[in-house]
């Protein structure tokens, strides 16, 4: 984009005049952001065109990663980093009177994702481009993100996240590439002259899907891949239909509203029929529009459709895009003229599926009547897939109706999307070794016995470029000064800093960087909340989506326990501790929202109690996002990864904190197990039941939460405080739902069962932190091994073992 700082300044001034007509002295940060973003995008567009030309000319096999969310964060500084221009631009802008950090704040956080699923998808796109692999993302361009979270009187309040209000500089609208997506109507079987049946979709509504493309720039790479986001718009043909009569005209606004709603909200509420119907619409809209676009690209290759799996890989990121399977069958049969067997072979060889969790909300099912009405042709195809699969099962398990029913794609008037994804593809992968083991041996064991060759593990990963090089540049520079720059493109080489784990000078530098990051976060906390925290305290962080199984509740109950001990005057020799929470609860998830209120109520009491003397501080930072995570993670001393064993498929927050020198406090769940194997017993704090023990309780019973409550005075006291007015609440009803969930519903996520072990682990942290050199050595060991969790390594395995795509040759 430029060779020298002076060249950059000249081009920046030239572009400033062209876009705004302002001088540097007159320009605002918003003006400067717009100018710099435009310069970067113009540069990216040239590389983008060159990349796409290479793909077409060489008829390269390309992978398409379908996901209902992509949590890409802000892109300006990430793009500059990947282009190798971040430091130079920062210096040049300072000389011009601008702060690059302030310019980045002008960029809206794209409201395209919510949690780990979306962030993982974004990391994968970054790795694909950086490894020069031909892979793209397919998603929905939501008008509104999940929501903006405000904490008012301790309660979560959801406000609209209209992130597109001022436009989005990185996207390019492609109206010429729009496609039509059909909903409703009916299917007519028509006999051809040859005696074959053709299926004609009649009287359907059409939604126009318009793509918006976002360039994905690789690190030190010529590749620029694409994140294609689809927006739902009204069809001109449908507009004409609705003005034919007065009655039709009266329905036009209803049609218009139904179309716009498809790409309006990420995760619309699904507690009623209309909300669930909208989610199903969104999922088919994504699958149909993306797949039609992919066929346009494939058709340019002028190859037979039997070669489709040779040139295209389609990946289902959790069950949401599972309708890719029947949609691919529909296109191959109804539009390309193929027979069932031929189309099915192509479909199975093209599709692969990642299962991200075994929580019920991820294993989606849809009412048969809903799918029949909304997607009549798609339902017919799913029904036929189910019939043929059940016949296959009957041949394997003759007479075993119970097993066949449990494995069927359609049963009990529901369409089971996970079953469809397993049957319709060639690969099913879990995202951590323990997760994959549970899939194969328990939750999906019936399928594993029939299709053992499909099942494999691909442990999740994170992009070290954003989660170390960008968000913690001082630590990144120290690593480079110590072991050279090769680790930036080969992150597993970070292990070379192990040899410096006991080096006093290196330890001092790591400690100084951590303290500076803590200072910056402390300043942010004070600015946002008015709470003063000490950088000499342990920054104990629990930042992730709020859910029962992630057990933020156990964390706050432990804080209440510590508070009680200090108030009782017990000599607990406590190192000052700052407990930092940041999390959003789904708008309709009452229990999770009660936990947020409890955290803030405890914070109010603890932070204003002079008897505590700053030994304990509790902070809740509202509106957790990628940019907030980039502030929090480099400053963390302790990373709370305390999910109920067997519930967290992998986790990626554990990897991000580890990479920035935080020590993990966690259960033997998800990727915590693999972190533990790498760093060893002495460099991680493990507690709680194993996945086997948890599953044993679920399968055979024998757990009594009330017995623990009656026999452990610590638990009895903190639980009673939930419903006793005075200390943490003014009303016995305020937290009674939490109390009842733990005792009357027998503590589904074993908060009380693991509490004692959790308390003991915290005591070990308290003792360990007192020896600064030993603690810093543990941090260095964790940093060194974190390169093993780079998404580059994960994506290489997807590329080699599932998608069969190769790096582009320039």
């Amino acid at each position: 984009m430029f060779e020298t700082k002076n060249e950059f300044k000249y081009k920046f001034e030239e572009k400033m005049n062209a876009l705004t007509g302002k001088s540097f002295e007159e320009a605002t940060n918003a003006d400067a952001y717009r100018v710099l973003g435009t310069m970067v995008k113009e540069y990216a567009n040239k590389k983008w065109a060159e990349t796409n030309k290479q793909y077409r000319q060489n008829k390269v096999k390309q992978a398409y990663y379908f996901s209902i969310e992509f949590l890409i964060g802000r892109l300006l500084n990430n793009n500059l980093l990947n282009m190798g221009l971040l430091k130079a631009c920062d210096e040049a802008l300072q000389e011009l009177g601008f702060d690059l950090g302030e310019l980045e704040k002008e960029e809206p956080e794209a409201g395209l994702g919510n949690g780990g699923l979306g962030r993982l998808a974004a990391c994968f796109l970054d790795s694909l481009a950086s490894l020069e692999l031909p892979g793209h993302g397919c998603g929905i361009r939501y008008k509104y993100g999940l929501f903006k979270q405000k904490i008012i009187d301790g309660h979560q309040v959801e406000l609209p996240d209209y992130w597109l209000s001022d436009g989005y500089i990185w996207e390019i609208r492609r109206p010429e590439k729009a496609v039509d997506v059909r909903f409703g109507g009916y299917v007519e079987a028509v006999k051809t002259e040859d005696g074959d049946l053709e299926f004609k979709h009649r009287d359907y509504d059409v939604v126009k899907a318009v793509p918006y493309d976002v360039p994905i720039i690789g690190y030190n790479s010529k590749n620029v891949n694409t994140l294609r986001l689809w927006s739902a718009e009204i069809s001109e043909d449908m507009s004409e239909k609705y003005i034919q009569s007065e009655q039709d005209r009266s329905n036009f606004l209803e049609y218009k509203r139904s179309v716009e709603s498809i790409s309006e909200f990420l995760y619309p509420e699904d507690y009623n029929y209309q909300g669930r119907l909208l989610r199903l619409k969104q999922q088919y809209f994504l699958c149909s529009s993306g797949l039609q676009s992919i066929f346009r690209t494939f058709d340019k290759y002028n190859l037979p459709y039997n070669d489709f799996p040779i040139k295209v890989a389609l990946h289902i990121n959790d069950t949401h895009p599972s309708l890719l399977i029947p949609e691919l069958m529909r296109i191959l049969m109804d539009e390309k003229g193929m027979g069932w067997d031929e189309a099915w072979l192509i479909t199975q060889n093209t599709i692969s599926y990642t299962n991200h969790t075994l929580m019920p909300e991820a294993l989606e099912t849809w009412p048969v009547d809903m799918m029949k009405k909304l997607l009549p042709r798609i339902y017919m195809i799913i029904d036929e897939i189910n019939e043929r699969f059940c016949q296959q099962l009957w041949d394997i398990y003759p007479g075993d109706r119970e097993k066949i029913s449990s494995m069927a794609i359609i049963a009990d008037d529901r369409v089971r999307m996970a079953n469809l994804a397993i049957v319709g593809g060639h690969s099913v992968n879990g995202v951590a070794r323990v997760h994959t083991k549970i899939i194969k041996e328990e939750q999906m064991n019936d399928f594993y016995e029939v299709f053992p060759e499909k099942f494999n593990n691909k442990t999740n990963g994170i992009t070290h470029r954003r989660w170390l090089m960008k968000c913690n540049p001082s630590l990144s520079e120290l690593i480079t000064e110590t072991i050279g720059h090769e680790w930036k493109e080969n992150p597993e080489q970070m292990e070379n800093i192990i040899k410096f784990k006991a080096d006093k000078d290196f330890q001092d530098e790591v400690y100084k960087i951590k303290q500076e990051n803590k200072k910056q976060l402390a300043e942010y906390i004070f600015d946002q909340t008015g709470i003063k925290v000490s950088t000499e305290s342990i920054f104990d962080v629990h930042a992730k989506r709020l859910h029962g199984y992630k057990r933020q509740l156990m964390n706050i109950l432990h804080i209440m326990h510590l508070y009680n001990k200090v108030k009782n005057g017990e000599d607990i020799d406590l190192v000052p501790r700052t407990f930092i929470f940041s999390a959003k609860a789904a708008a309709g998830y009452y229990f999770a929202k009660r936990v947020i209120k409890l955290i803030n109520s405890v914070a109010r009491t603890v932070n204003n109690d002079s008897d505590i003397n700053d030994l304990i501080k509790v902070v809740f930072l509202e509106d957790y996002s990628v940019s907030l995570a980039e502030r929090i993670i480099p400053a963390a001393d302790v990373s709370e990864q305390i999910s109920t064993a067997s519930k967290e498929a992998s986790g990626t927050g554990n990897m991000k904190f580890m990479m920035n020198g935080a020590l993990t406090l966690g259960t033997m769940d998800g990727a915590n197990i693999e972190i533990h194997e790498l760093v060893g017993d002495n460099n991680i704090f493990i507690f709680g039941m194993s996945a086997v023990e948890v599953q044993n309780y679920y399968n055979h019973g024998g757990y009594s939460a009330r017995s623990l409550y009656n026999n452990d005075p610590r638990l009895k006291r903190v639980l009673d405080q939930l419903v006793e007015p005075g200390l943490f609440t003014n009303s016995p009803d305020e937290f009674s739902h939490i109390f009842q969930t733990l005792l009357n519903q027998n503590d589904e996520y074993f908060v009380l069962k693991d509490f004692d072990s959790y308390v003991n682990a915290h005591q070990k942290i308290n003792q360990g932190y007192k020896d600064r050199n030993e603690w810093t050595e543990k941090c260095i060991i964790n940093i060194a091994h974190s390169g093993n969790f780079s998404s580059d390594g994960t994506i290489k395995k997807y590329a080699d073992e599932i998608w069969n795509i190769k790096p582009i040759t320039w």
Side-chain angles (χ1 to χ4, degrees):
M1 192 167 75
F2 62 89
E3 298 293 332
T4 65
K5 281 197 293 186
N6 286 336
E7 183 185 357
F8 169 77
K9 291 178 185 178
Y10 172 77
K11 290 184 176 180
F12 190 76
E13 182 177 22
E14 186 178 53
K15 187 65 70 174
M16 179 72 76
N17 289 331
L19 291 179
T20 71
K22 296 179 181 178
S23 65
F24 291 143
E25 292 75 17
E26 298 170 315
T28 64
N29 283 336
D31 294 325
Y33 163 73
R34 179 185 167 203
V35 169
L36 183 56
T38 300
M39 291 172 66
V40 172
K41 189 166 82 168
E42 288 176 352
Y43 172 85
N45 285 348
K46 294 178 183 176
K47 296 291 185 182
W48 210 354
E50 292 170 7
T51 303
N52 289 329
K53 183 179 179 181
Q54 282 276 47
Y55 291 168
R56 287 193 305 271
Q57 286 182 345
N58 295 309
K59 297 183 179 180
V60 170
K61 182 174 186 178
Q62 301 180 57
Y64 298 88
Y65 196 81
F66 280 74
S67 181
I68 205 72
E69 55 173 296
F70 286 91
L71 194 57
I72 58 177
R74 291 170 174 153
L75 292 181
L76 177 62
N77 286 6
N78 198 72
N79 284 340
L80 289 171
L81 171 71
N82 283 357
M83 293 161 62
L85 301 175
L86 182 60
K87 187 174 182 180
C89 275
D90 190 16
E91 293 172 355
L93 287 166
Q94 285 183 32
E95 293 174 12
L96 296 173
F98 296 103
D99 184 306
L100 184 56
E102 293 301 313
L103 264 58
E104 188 184 33
K105 293 177 185 177
E106 296 294 327
E107 179 176 334
E109 290 225 30
L112 303 171
N114 171 43
L117 185 76
R119 187 52 237 169
L120 181 80
C123 286
F124 280 6
L125 293 187
D126 181 88
S127 288
L128 281 164
S130 298
L131 295 171
E132 299 196 325
L133 287 164
H136 315 283
C138 296
I140 295 176
R141 181 183 181 264
Y142 302 104
K143 184 177 180 181
Y144 296 94
L146 186 68
F147 56 78
K148 288 283 187 184
Q149 181 195 56
K150 296 294 291 182
I151 301 299
I152 300 176
D153 192 27
H155 295 274
Q156 170 179 290
V157 176
E158 301 93 21
L159 301 176
D161 176 21
Y162 188 24
W163 67 282
L164 287 168
S165 58
D166 296 320
Y168 189 53
I169 199 167
W170 304 111
E171 68 182 10
I172 298 176
R173 177 179 164 88
R174 308 279 197 193
E176 74 283 0
K177 297 182 182 293
V179 298
D180 288 341
V181 180
R182 301 173 179 180
F183 294 100
Y186 64 94
V187 177
E188 180 182 3
V190 178
K191 190 170 275 191
T192 67
E193 294 179 358
D194 297 331
D196 297 327
L197 281 180
E198 287 185 353
F199 295 93
K200 301 294 185 182
H201 197 175
R202 310 286 195 196
D203 199 27
Y204 47 80
D205 282 347
V206 174
V207 173
K208 183 164 75 170
V210 179
Y212 288 72
D213 288 349
V214 177
I216 304 298
I217 301 171
Y219 177 77
N220 196 23
S221 163
K222 294 181 179 180
N223 261 35
V224 176
N225 288 333
T226 303
L227 170 58
R228 175 157 286 182
L229 302 169
W230 294 93
S231 179
E233 299 183 7
I234 60 173
S235 162
E236 292 81 358
D237 292 341
M238 292 301 296
S239 300
E240 293 177 7
K241 170 185 172 181
Y242 279 116
I243 61 172
Q244 298 302 314
S245 69
E246 191 66 34
Q247 183 178 356
D248 284 339
R249 283 194 293 272
S250 68
N251 292 329
F252 176 72
L253 289 179
E254 182 181 346
Y255 160 74
K256 182 174 183 291
R257 178 72 191 116
S258 70
V259 170
E260 291 171 346
S261 67
I262 293 172
S263 56
E264 190 165 32
F265 287 101
L266 168 67
Y267 293 136
E269 290 297 334
D270 60 352
Y271 54 81
N272 59 30
Y273 182 88
Q274 289 303 318
R276 291 190 292 274
L277 181 67
L278 179 54
R279 286 204 181 193
L280 182 57
K281 269 188 178 180
Q282 286 183 331
Q283 292 178 15
Y284 182 66
F285 174 79
L286 166 61
C287 294
S288 180
S289 54
L291 198 46
Q292 289 184 65
S293 175
I294 290 164
F295 265 98
R296 280 185 177 175
T297 299
F298 178 79
D299 286 342
K300 293 175 182 176
Y301 288 178
N302 293 316
L303 294 173
Y305 291 111
N306 286 327
D307 286 354
F308 193 75
I310 299 173
K311 296 299 179 183
V312 174
L314 301 175
H315 198 81
I316 297 171
N317 190 32
D318 231 352
T319 54
H320 312 106
S322 296
L323 291 173
L324 274 173
I325 293 163
E327 177 66 2
L328 180 52
M329 289 291 290
R330 182 194 69 80
I331 291 175
L332 290 171
M333 292 190 300
D334 296 358
E335 297 184 10
K336 309 304 180 185
M338 284 190 162
W340 179 277
D341 291 341
E342 197 176 15
W344 183 240
L345 182 63
I346 291 170
T347 297
Q348 284 194 307
N349 288 334
T350 305
I351 299 279
S352 51
Y353 160 56
T354 295
N355 175 281
H356 281 282
T357 175
L358 297 170
M359 298 298 291
E361 57 262 36
L363 301 178
E364 291 178 305
T365 66
W366 298 105
V368 165
D369 287 346
M370 179 187 288
M371 189 169 284
K372 269 185 179 179
K373 184 177 180 182
L374 182 69
L375 306 169
R377 180 60 177 140
I378 292 300
Y379 177 76
M380 287 178 67
I381 293 170
I382 295 174
D383 187 46
E384 182 66 19
I385 294 171
N386 181 60
E387 288 295 321
R388 293 180 182 231
F389 176 56
C390 288
Q391 182 59 57
Q392 180 185 351
L393 292 177
W394 185 268
D395 295 339
I396 300 171
Y397 306 110
D400 194 342
R401 297 181 184 277
E402 184 176 348
K403 180 183 280 287
I404 293 170
S405 176
S406 70
M407 297 178 70
I409 296 165
I410 302 173
D412 302 320
D413 289 323
R414 309 287 296 189
V415 181
R416 299 162 171 172
M417 304 311 285
N419 295 18
L420 175 63
I422 295 168
V423 173
H426 64 89
S427 172
V428 180
N429 73 279
V431 291
R433 285 206 306 269
V434 67
H435 172 234
T436 303
K437 186 173 186 288
I438 292 170
I439 286 175
K440 293 196 293 188
E441 296 181 2
E442 297 182 36
Q443 299 288 354
M444 296 178 175
N445 177 253
D446 287 343
F447 288 97
Y448 177 63
E449 288 183 350
V450 176
F451 307 116
E453 72 285 352
K454 290 189 181 187
F455 287 78
N456 60 94
N457 177 63
K458 300 289 178 285
T459 298
N460 282 344
I462 60 171
T463 170
H464 60 287
R465 287 166 286 276
R466 181 180 286 272
W467 295 111
L468 179 54
M469 293 167 65
K470 177 182 180 292
C471 77
N472 202 343
S474 297
L475 181 57
S476 175
E477 289 171 10
L478 175 63
I479 294 171
T480 300
E481 290 169 4
T482 305
I483 62 171
H485 61 81
E486 290 83 4
W487 69 274
K488 294 180 178 180
E489 294 189 62
N490 297 288
E492 64 277 2
Q493 292 192 21
M494 289 171 68
E495 288 191 349
N496 290 331
I497 66 169
I498 281 282
K499 66 185 74 168
F500 299 95
K501 65 182 182 181
D503 183 281
K504 186 65 169 60
D505 291 337
F506 188 70
Q507 284 188 354
D508 286 346
E509 289 303 313
V510 170
Y511 177 79
K512 287 176 187 176
I513 290 167
K514 179 64 74 174
Q515 289 303 110
E516 178 59 30
N517 290 335
K518 290 171 72 171
K519 177 185 174 185
Q520 292 176 17
L521 180 59
E523 291 170 354
Y524 178 82
I525 288 170
F526 182 74
D527 289 343
Q528 296 298 309
T529 69
I531 300 170
K532 289 184 178 180
V533 301
S534 169
T535 58
E536 297 304 312
S537 67
I538 300 173
F539 277 22
D540 185 313
V541 179
H542 204 160
K544 56 180 71 244
R545 178 171 61 93
L546 210 147
H547 195 285
Y549 84 86
K550 294 180 184 288
R551 300 203 291 191
Q552 286 92 344
L553 176 59
M554 184 161 65
N555 191 340
I556 197 63
L557 292 178
H558 171 252
I559 294 169
M560 293 165 63
H561 164 65
L562 284 181
Y563 176 79
N564 290 335
K565 289 172 74 71
V566 175
K567 289 292 285 185
N568 287 347
E570 297 181 35
D571 182 15
I572 59 174
D573 191 25
L574 183 66
V575 175
R577 189 81 64 96
T578 298
F579 294 95
I580 300 168
F581 294 84
S582 195
K584 290 182 178 180
Y589 191 179
Y590 181 73
F591 171 84
K593 294 172 80 168
R594 287 290 87 197
V595 173
I596 287 177
K597 173 59 177 171
L598 177 61
I599 292 168
N600 284 291
S601 295
V602 172
R604 182 192 62 226
T605 299
V606 171
N607 296 341
N608 292 292
D609 190 332
S610 58
D611 291 345
I612 299 302
N613 195 28
D614 293 340
L615 273 178
I616 306 170
K617 286 290 179 74
V618 183
V619 176
F620 189 98
L621 292 175
E622 67 183 14
D623 206 33
Y624 191 51
S625 62
V626 174
S627 58
L628 181 53
E630 290 172 353
R631 287 181 181 273
I632 294 173
I633 290 172
D637 293 308
V638 174
S639 162
E640 298 263 358
Q641 307 296 330
I642 62 175
S643 57
T644 308
S646 78
K647 293 297 183 183
E648 187 73 83
S650 169
T652 53
N654 45 10
M655 303 168 187
K656 295 162 193 165
F657 282 100
M658 174 195 191
M659 191 170 277
N660 285 273
L663 302 189
T664 301
L665 168 60
T667 51
M668 290 293 272
D669 195 24
N672 289 354
I673 296 172
E674 291 163 61
I675 293 173
H676 172 254
E677 289 176 0
L678 286 168
V679 303
D681 289 338
N682 295 328
N683 303 298
I684 189 171
F685 300 94
I686 295 295
F687 76 97
M689 291 189 294
S690 68
V692 171
E693 291 171 312
V694 169
Q695 289 299 319
N696 186 60
Y697 275 122
Y698 282 139
N699 294 334
H700 306 293
Y703 173 57
S704 171
R706 190 165 288 278
S707 177
L708 286 171
Y709 166 76
N710 289 329
N711 290 289
D712 188 329
R714 302 167 302 177
L715 285 172
K716 189 173 192 312
R717 185 171 188 195
V718 294
L719 293 190
D720 287 347
Q721 286 173 331
L722 295 177
V723 291
E724 291 176 354
L727 195 57
F728 299 117
T729 179
N730 295 320
S731 166
D733 298 326
E734 188 169 30
F735 302 121
S736 63
H737 181 73
I738 296 174
F739 184 89
Q740 300 295 335
T741 298
L742 290 174
L743 296 184
N744 293 354
Q745 297 177 29
N746 205 33
D747 183 19
E748 179 183 1
Y749 298 116
F750 302 102
V751 170
L752 306 189
K753 180 67 176 174
D754 279 348
F755 185 78
D756 181 65
S757 181
Y758 184 61
V759 170
N760 292 335
H762 270 288
Q763 290 171 351
K764 292 177 182 176
I765 290 170
N766 190 68
Q767 290 303 116
Y769 195 77
K770 293 176 182 177
D771 187 329
R772 179 181 130 183
N773 291 339
E774 185 176 334
W775 184 274
T776 305
E777 182 174 326
K778 294 176 189 290
C779 296
I780 293 167
I781 290 169
N782 273 267
I783 294 165
H785 288 293
S786 67
N788 289 281
F789 296 103
S790 167
S791 52
D792 287 8
T794 307
I795 281 297
K796 286 176 184 176
K797 292 177 181 177
Y798 274 95
D800 292 342
E801 299 170 17
I802 297 179
W803 301 332
N804 192 28
I805 57 173
K806 306 296 181 187
I808 188 87
T809 302
W810 289 88

